Amino acid sequence: MYLTRWPSSTRHIVKATAVAIGLLMLLGLLGATGRDAMSDWYRTHALVLRQSLISGLLIGGVYSLAALGLTLIFGVLGILNFAHGTLMVLGMYLAYLLFAHLHIDPYLSLVLTIPALLLVGAVIQLVVINRIMTAPAHNQLVLTLGLALLLENLFLAAFGAEPRAIRSSYTSANLFVGDTLISLPRVYAFVIALLLGGLIYIVLTRTDFGKAIRAVAQDREGAALVGIDVASVQMMTFGLGAAAAGAAGTVIMPFFTVTPTTGATFNITAFVVVVLGGMGNVPGAMLGGILIGLVEALSAAFLPGSAKQLGVFVVFILILLFRPSGLLGKGRNA
Amino acid sequence: MRRVAFPAPRAQQQQQTPLFTNAKLRLAAVIIVACSILLALPVVLSGFLLDIAILILFWSYLGSAWNILGGYTGQFSFGHAAFYGIGAYTSTWLLVRHGVNPWLGMVAGGILAALFGLGMGFVSWRYGLRGPYFALVTFAFAEVLRLFANNWEVINGSLGLQIPLIRGNSWLAFQFEADKRPYYYIILVLLLFATLLTYVLFKTRAGFYMRAIREDEDAAAALGVNTMRYKLLAMAISAFLTALGGTFYAQYLFFIDPGIVFGSHVSIEILIRPLVGGVGTVLGPLVGGLLLTPLSELTRTLVRNPPAFIPFAHLLQGRAGLDGILFGLLLVIVILFIPEGIIGSVRKRLDRHHGGHNRADREL
């Protein structure tokens, strides 16, 4: 498994995005001047469309970071980590505690939550995951599920079911671009998430440690043969993945409320992103996160009721069926 | 030309197996005793204990249904809530909106769930989904159904459906408000049926094919097993049985909503018992159900009103999440220490002692 290989179709994706943006701009021009039904629809929905594209893009960056952790774990350890969303919630509660008791700004608290989650992840891998590395896939799945259940209910016992939130000075700070409203904390979250994602990417591609991780992902035995300590690489990778999830949880805390079960939703989203980007593909997860953010925001704006997730799930099933190696992957049996 | 004398085909050596071996006799005795205990149990049970007994049988039954697909055929379904919900919603909707008898609704729900399962299975397997991918897709299908039910006005959306109550017991209406014992017998019959079916399946050609698919699908296909057909057969049976359980649940609690019957926690509850008891064994779901159901019910009760005689128990009062913590821990411990489940590890130990001769025991 090549962790950091860019999806073979990246060029096409970039082209398609450029074409899509061009079409949208054209549509905007036509919509502003045209008289037909299509233009009418566009005029009435233009603001909603722009608004949801922006918010989808911004939250998509956070999904990218969370999914990056998940895909890293799958790529290196071959484990579907169903506790990933719960680790993200752990990051959220940590940020909440640090803010509520020590008045540490959530963005600043990243300095504490990232090492904390790194440690938690490494310990979980060392104590539990390490023992099931060769177990059948469904046993691995159930084990992480048990971990998720355990953590989720620990949160419930510790914090209760009521939602917790951080309300800081910039929680409701907004920026207007034209008539489109952009929430500032979401911008911060997006930027930090992308920076951290980029950092992990650089670590993977430019450092010896990253090279070791990629070697283990490609061929476990081969890596051991050339003297890489596979067990410790796996432990660190799980820690890194958990830290990515925790960081994603921390940065959304200023505009998000957390309950013990918040993790389930994020978990599913992260899985969809990972499958979309190709399981075990880091750049794929980054691109997939943005894409799923957009799909979610658009279906929230234009589908009725609680059908927001429905759009995501339909995408999920279609991807699983027709391109299980990922939308950006090489095709069916890659 | 020289004639080559072919040796005449030797008469097939008939293996003489006595009608009743010792092991078989012992097994029959155990089954008879167990069945009579199960039949007589409601006479002495009442109230809370009867409820627990019903729930034990109920979850064991659902576990057995899951086991046919997830255990025997090795297709790890993570979305049995889909079938369960279809069963519950079909019968309840037919009853509430059209006055259809719930027994008929039960069968209708079963058929509908089997059809849904066939569709889902065909699409998934047609596109070659296996292992974790199959688990993910079944999970996604169940979630889609939940979201769909949440938004569908015809079945009352997220508000759910309430079954109109009648007073007293009625076999025709599938309601036993005055005395819950009939529920016990209904679910007992369902459980025995499912267990017997699993056992019979174990002996038939179809059952062998299913296990062959579990062990090595490519090898099975190479040997000429129509893997798609037997996976679909397992799916249909499993979905049908699970849906019957859904109807039973609706008729037992009289209220359903999309979260209750389609939620992912249902899928987890269904598969955790066979997993703890032993995946792919006849008795696994029963053993798992017997252990886990009282455990989870007791923790729930303990949290709701802690008994005074346990010191510090009042600290537990209203502490939600304790039962979940216990369940999570148990899952982790089982996977770490007895990954083959209780029956699986017992069988392993027996095999070591008897050198694998104890065949009748092994078949369970």
Side-chain angles (χ1 to χ4, degrees):
Chain A
M1 200 168 292
Y2 298 92
L3 269 186
T4 51
R5 169 181 286 177
W6 281 82
S8 54
S9 47
T10 305
R11 230 179 322 137
H12 305 300
I13 299 286
V14 172
K15 264 190 228 161
T17 319
V19 169
I21 291 174
L23 275 178
L24 273 177
M25 284 167 71
L26 194 70
L27 198 71
L29 269 176
L30 286 176
T33 52
R35 287 276 168 269
D36 54 310
M38 187 69 195
S39 314
D40 279 346
W41 182 89
Y42 181 79
R43 262 197 296 278
T44 41
H45 293 91
L47 187 60
V48 183
L49 192 65
R50 245 174 294 151
Q51 198 75 65
S52 46
L53 280 177
I54 288 285
S55 61
L57 177 76
L58 293 183
I59 199 72
V62 178
Y63 291 163
S64 293
L65 180 58
L68 191 155
L70 189 60
T71 215
L72 201 59
I73 292 172
F74 182 79
V76 178
L77 289 91
I79 282 185
L80 281 173
N81 180 20
F82 256 81
H84 204 68
T86 330
L87 289 172
M88 193 167 164
V89 171
L90 180 60
M92 293 171 89
Y93 272 121
L94 278 180
Y96 168 78
L97 281 180
L98 287 170
F99 182 80
H101 295 293
L102 301 172
H103 307 290
I104 298 177
D105 185 279
Y107 297 123
L108 206 60
S109 68
L110 276 175
V111 185
L112 294 172
T113 53
I114 289 178
L117 262 294
L118 201 69
L119 193 68
V120 169
V123 168
I124 289 179
Q125 203 281 335
L126 198 64
V127 177
V128 188
I129 307 282
N130 206 16
R131 294 163 184 251
I132 52 142
M133 290 303 294
T134 53
H138 59 85
N139 274 12
Q140 297 175 338
L141 191 146
V142 171
L143 182 98
T144 57
L145 202 70
L147 280 176
L149 209 60
L150 181 63
L151 282 173
E152 205 171 86
N153 285 285
L154 280 175
F155 297 147
L156 186 63
F159 297 99
E162 61 269 23
R164 308 281 173 143
I166 288 179
R167 290 292 159 255
S168 59
S169 52
Y170 50 78
T171 293
S172 49
N174 289 316
L175 188 74
F176 275 97
V177 174
D179 53 354
T180 315
L181 178 142
I182 302 173
S183 148
L184 266 183
R186 281 173 194 259
V187 175
Y188 299 151
F190 177 75
V191 171
I192 296 177
L194 283 200
L195 282 179
L196 288 175
L199 188 69
I200 295 180
Y201 182 74
I202 289 172
V203 167
L204 285 177
T205 48
R206 297 287 157 83
T207 64
D208 283 350
F209 174 58
K211 199 180 259 177
I213 292 182
R214 284 184 291 139
V216 174
Q218 259 178 43
D219 187 342
R220 223 174 270 175
E221 282 171 23
L225 220 54
V226 294
I228 294 172
D229 184 354
V230 173
S232 74
V233 164
Q234 284 173 339
M235 184 184 78
M236 287 308 292
T237 306
F238 202 91
L240 206 59
T250 309
V251 293
I252 59 168
M253 214 35 215
F255 56 89
F256 223 86
T257 53
V258 57
T259 64
T261 50
T262 306
T265 329
F266 279 115
N267 205 35
I268 291 160
T269 313
F271 267 99
V272 179
V273 172
V274 166
V275 170
L276 185 74
M279 291 166 89
N281 188 324
V282 169
M286 300 290 285
L287 291 177
I290 307 264
L291 219 58
I292 284 299
L294 290 175
V295 168
E296 201 186 78
L298 286 176
S299 40
F302 295 107
L303 291 178
S306 61
K308 168 178 147 185
Q309 283 177 295
L310 206 58
V312 175
F313 273 113
V314 170
V315 170
F316 191 33
I317 291 177
L318 291 178
I319 297 283
L320 273 175
L321 291 181
F322 299 109
R323 305 218 41 139
S325 62
L327 189 61
L328 317 172
K330 278 200 292 189
R332 290 203 46 82
N333 296 315
Chain B
M1 200 192 270
R2 258 181 50 201
R3 293 178 116 190
V4 180
F6 285 104
R10 221 178 298 160
Q12 278 275 306
Q13 228 175 14
Q14 287 274 319
Q15 260 225 310
Q16 287 288 319
T17 39
L19 199 53
F20 294 108
T21 57
N22 253 346
K24 272 189 182 162
L25 262 181
R26 224 185 310 145
L27 187 67
V30 168
I31 289 173
I32 289 170
V33 170
C35 283
S36 17
I37 291 176
L38 281 174
L39 279 174
L41 214 52
V43 179
V44 289
L45 294 180
S46 62
F48 183 58
L49 287 179
L50 183 63
D51 266 331
I52 289 193
I54 292 173
L55 285 176
I56 290 175
L57 298 180
F58 175 67
W59 287 113
S60 304
Y61 166 73
L62 289 175
S64 300
W66 178 89
N67 204 22
I68 293 173
L69 181 68
Y72 279 101
T73 322
Q75 306 299 311
F76 198 87
S77 160
F78 196 27
H80 258 51
F83 311 131
Y84 181 79
I86 288 175
Y89 260 104
T90 307
S91 67
T92 310
W93 181 75
L94 284 174
L95 171 67
V96 173
R97 293 290 149 87
H98 298 285
V100 176
N101 186 291
W103 292 101
L104 287 177
M106 196 177 202
V107 177
I111 292 171
L112 206 62
L115 289 177
F116 181 80
L118 287 177
M120 181 173 82
F122 181 76
V123 173
S124 311
W125 291 318
R126 161 74 183 72
Y127 288 102
L129 294 191
R130 287 183 186 183
Y133 288 97
F134 180 73
L136 284 178
V137 89
T138 51
F139 174 72
F141 269 109
E143 284 292 294
V144 163
L145 281 189
R146 180 177 68 81
L147 293 165
F148 190 67
N150 248 332
N151 291 298
W152 200 23
E153 285 314 312
V154 177
I155 54 168
N156 216 15
S158 56
L159 296 176
L161 289 172
Q162 178 102 40
I163 292 176
L165 296 177
I166 55 161
R167 295 199 63 79
N169 278 13
S170 160
W171 277 93
L172 190 65
F174 202 150
Q175 284 195 27
F176 311 97
E177 176 251 338
D179 180 7
K180 284 186 173 173
R181 288 193 175 90
Y183 283 124
Y184 178 93
Y185 288 113
I186 291 171
I187 196 67
L188 180 63
V189 167
L190 281 176
L191 175 62
L192 289 181
F193 174 68
T195 310
L196 203 68
L197 188 71
T198 328
Y199 184 69
V200 169
L201 207 55
F202 210 101
K203 298 273 196 185
T204 57
R205 185 180 289 259
F208 278 107
Y209 286 164
M210 286 174 188
R211 273 175 287 156
I213 291 170
R214 176 186 65 193
E215 296 304 328
D216 189 338
E217 190 170 342
D218 294 324
L223 289 175
V225 176
N226 185 341
T227 56
M228 176 64 99
R229 181 189 295 169
Y230 289 99
K231 283 193 284 188
L232 285 179
L233 179 66
M235 171 70 97
I237 296 172
S238 184
F240 181 84
L241 293 177
T242 308
L244 301 191
T247 301
F248 177 86
Y249 176 85
Q251 293 298 129
Y252 183 58
L253 285 186
F254 306 124
F255 175 74
I256 57 171
D257 74 21
I260 294 178
V261 296
F262 281 119
S264 57
H265 61 97
V266 177
S267 304
I268 297 174
E269 288 256 12
I270 289 177
L271 64 85
I272 184 178
R273 286 166 178 84
L275 209 76
V276 170
V279 168
T281 59
V282 177
L283 291 181
L286 313 190
V287 172
L290 198 61
L291 281 178
L292 290 192
T293 318
L295 191 69
S296 86
E297 289 304 311
L298 279 179
T299 7
R300 246 171 249 172
T301 321
L302 201 69
V303 173
R304 216 175 300 134
N305 25 334
F309 58 85
I310 302 177
F312 304 114
H314 62 277
L315 291 177
L316 297 175
Q317 176 85 53
R319 279 268 167 216
L322 190 70
D323 49 336
I325 292 175
L326 210 67
F327 248 65
L329 261 182
L330 206 71
L331 270 185
V332 173
I333 289 171
V334 165
I335 295 293
L336 284 186
F337 297 106
I338 41 167
E340 289 134 336
I342 294 167
I343 294 283
S345 49
V346 166
R347 183 193 293 168
K348 224 179 192 179
R349 200 153 291 179
L350 278 183
D351 273 2
R352 218 174 291 147
H353 280 298
H354 298 281
H357 291 311
N358 211 343
R359 285 203 52 226
D361 291 345
R362 279 182 63 183
E363 281 165 8
L364 297 174

